[in-house]
Coordinates of all heavy atoms in Angstrom, one line a residue:
C123 N -7.3 5.5 2.9 CA -8.2 6.2 1.9 C -8.2 5.4 0.6 O -7.2 4.8 0.3 CB -7.7 7.6 1.7 SG -8.9 8.7 0.7
D124 N -9.3 5.5 -0.1 CA -9.3 5.1 -1.5 C -10.3 6.0 -2.2 O -11.0 6.8 -1.6 CB -9.6 3.6 -1.7 CG -11.0 3.2 -1.3 OD1 -11.8 4.0 -0.9 OD2 -11.3 2.0 -1.4
L125 N -10.3 5.8 -3.5 CA -11.3 6.5 -4.4 C -12.3 5.6 -5.0 O -11.9 4.4 -5.3 CB -10.6 7.2 -5.5 CG -9.4 8.2 -5.2 CD1 -8.8 8.7 -6.5 CD2 -9.9 9.3 -4.4
E126 N -13.5 6.0 -5.0 CA -14.6 5.2 -5.6 C -15.0 6.0 -6.9 O -15.5 7.1 -6.7 CB -15.7 4.9 -4.7 CG -16.8 4.0 -5.3 CD -17.8 3.7 -4.3 OE1 -17.7 2.7 -3.5 OE2 -18.8 4.4 -4.2
V127 N -14.9 5.3 -8.0 CA -15.3 6.0 -9.3 C -16.4 5.2 -9.9 O -16.3 4.0 -10.1 CB -14.1 6.1 -10.2 CG1 -14.4 6.8 -11.5 CG2 -12.9 6.8 -9.5
I128 N -17.5 6.0 -10.2 CA -18.6 5.4 -10.9 C -18.8 6.0 -12.3 O -18.9 7.3 -12.3 CB -19.9 5.5 -10.1 CG1 -19.7 4.9 -8.7 CG2 -21.1 4.9 -10.8 CD1 -20.8 5.1 -7.7
N129 N -18.9 5.2 -13.3 CA -19.0 5.8 -14.7 C -20.5 6.0 -15.0 O -21.4 5.7 -14.2 CB -18.3 5.0 -15.7 CG -18.9 3.7 -16.0 OD1 -20.1 3.4 -15.6 ND2 -18.2 2.9 -16.8
A130 N -20.8 6.6 -16.1 CA -22.2 6.9 -16.5 C -23.1 5.7 -16.6 O -24.3 5.8 -16.5 CB -22.2 7.7 -17.8
D131 N -22.5 4.5 -16.8 CA -23.2 3.3 -16.9 C -23.4 2.6 -15.6 O -24.0 1.5 -15.5 CB -22.5 2.3 -17.8 CG -22.4 2.8 -19.3 OD1 -23.4 3.5 -19.7 OD2 -21.4 2.4 -19.9
G132 N -22.9 3.2 -14.5 CA -23.1 2.7 -13.1 C -22.0 1.7 -12.7 O -22.1 1.2 -11.6
L133 N -21.0 1.5 -13.6 CA -19.9 0.6 -13.2 C -19.0 1.3 -12.2 O -18.6 2.4 -12.4 CB -19.1 0.3 -14.5 CG -17.8 -0.6 -14.2 CD1 -18.2 -2.0 -13.8 CD2 -17.0 -0.6 -15.5
K134 N -18.9 0.6 -11.0 CA -18.1 1.1 -9.9 C -16.7 0.5 -9.9 O -16.6 -0.7 -10.0 CB -18.8 0.9 -8.6 CG -18.1 1.4 -7.4 CD -18.9 1.3 -6.1 CE -19.4 -0.1 -5.8 NZ -20.0 -0.1 -4.4
R135 N -15.7 1.4 -9.8 CA -14.3 0.9 -9.6 C -13.7 1.6 -8.4 O -14.0 2.8 -8.2 CB -13.5 1.2 -10.9 CG -14.0 0.4 -12.1 CD -13.1 0.7 -13.3 NE -13.6 2.0 -13.8 CZ -13.0 2.7 -14.8 NH1 -11.9 2.2 -15.4 NH2 -13.5 3.8 -15.3
S136 N -12.8 0.9 -7.7 CA -12.1 1.6 -6.6 C -10.6 1.6 -6.9 O -10.1 0.6 -7.4 CB -12.4 0.8 -5.3 OG -13.8 0.9 -4.9
S137 N -10.0 2.6 -6.4 CA -8.5 2.7 -6.5 C -7.9 1.8 -5.5 O -8.6 1.3 -4.6 CB -8.1 4.2 -6.3 OG -8.2 4.5 -4.9
D138 N -6.6 1.6 -5.6 CA -5.9 1.0 -4.5 C -6.0 1.9 -3.3 O -6.1 3.1 -3.4 CB -4.4 0.9 -4.9 CG -4.1 -0.1 -6.0 OD1 -4.9 -1.0 -6.2 OD2 -3.0 0.0 -6.6
S139 N -6.0 1.3 -2.1 CA -6.0 2.0 -0.9 C -4.7 2.6 -0.7 O -3.7 2.1 -1.1 CB -6.4 1.1 0.3 OG -7.7 0.6 0.2
F140 N -4.6 3.8 0.0 CA -3.3 4.4 0.3 C -3.4 4.9 1.7 O -4.5 5.1 2.3 CB -3.0 5.5 -0.7 CG -4.0 6.6 -0.9 CD1 -4.0 7.7 -0.1 CD2 -5.0 6.5 -1.8 CE1 -4.9 8.7 -0.3 CE2 -5.9 7.4 -2.0 CZ -5.9 8.6 -1.2
I141 N -2.2 5.1 2.3 CA -2.1 5.5 3.7 C -1.9 7.0 3.8 O -1.2 7.6 3.0 CB -0.8 4.8 4.3 CG1 -1.0 3.3 4.4 CG2 -0.6 5.4 5.7 CD1 0.2 2.5 4.7
V142 N -2.6 7.6 4.7 CA -2.5 9.0 5.1 C -1.9 9.1 6.5 O -2.7 8.9 7.5 CB -3.9 9.8 5.0 CG1 -3.7 11.2 5.4 CG2 -4.5 9.6 3.7
P143 N -0.6 9.2 6.6 CA 0.0 9.3 7.9 C -0.2 10.6 8.6 O 0.2 11.6 8.1 CB 1.5 9.0 7.7 CG 1.7 9.3 6.2 CD 0.4 9.3 5.6
V144 N -0.9 10.6 9.7 CA -1.3 11.8 10.5 C -0.4 11.9 11.7 O -0.3 10.9 12.5 CB -2.8 11.8 10.9 CG1 -3.1 13.0 11.7 CG2 -3.7 11.6 9.7
I145 N 0.3 13.0 11.8 CA 1.2 13.2 13.0 C 0.9 14.5 13.7 O 0.1 15.3 13.1 CB 2.7 13.2 12.5 CG1 3.0 14.4 11.6 CG2 3.1 11.9 11.9 CD1 4.5 14.6 11.3
E146 N 1.4 14.6 14.9 CA 1.1 15.8 15.7 C 1.9 17.0 15.1 O 3.0 16.9 14.7 CB 1.5 15.6 17.1 CG 1.1 16.7 18.1 CD -0.4 16.8 18.2 OE1 -1.1 15.8 18.5 OE2 -1.0 17.9 17.9
D147 N 1.2 18.2 15.1 CA 1.9 19.4 14.7 C 2.8 19.9 15.8 O 2.5 19.7 17.0 CB 0.8 20.5 14.4 CG 1.3 21.6 13.6 OD1 2.5 21.6 13.3 OD2 0.5 22.5 13.4

Side-chain angles (χ1 to χ4, degrees):
C123 185
D124 71 359
L125 304 175
E126 183 176 273
V127 181
I128 303 172
N129 71 13
D131 296 328
L133 176 65
K134 179 170 56 172
R135 294 180 280 174
S136 294
S137 72
D138 290 340
S139 296
F140 55 92
I141 296 170
V142 180
V144 181
I145 63 172
E146 189 63 58
D147 197 0

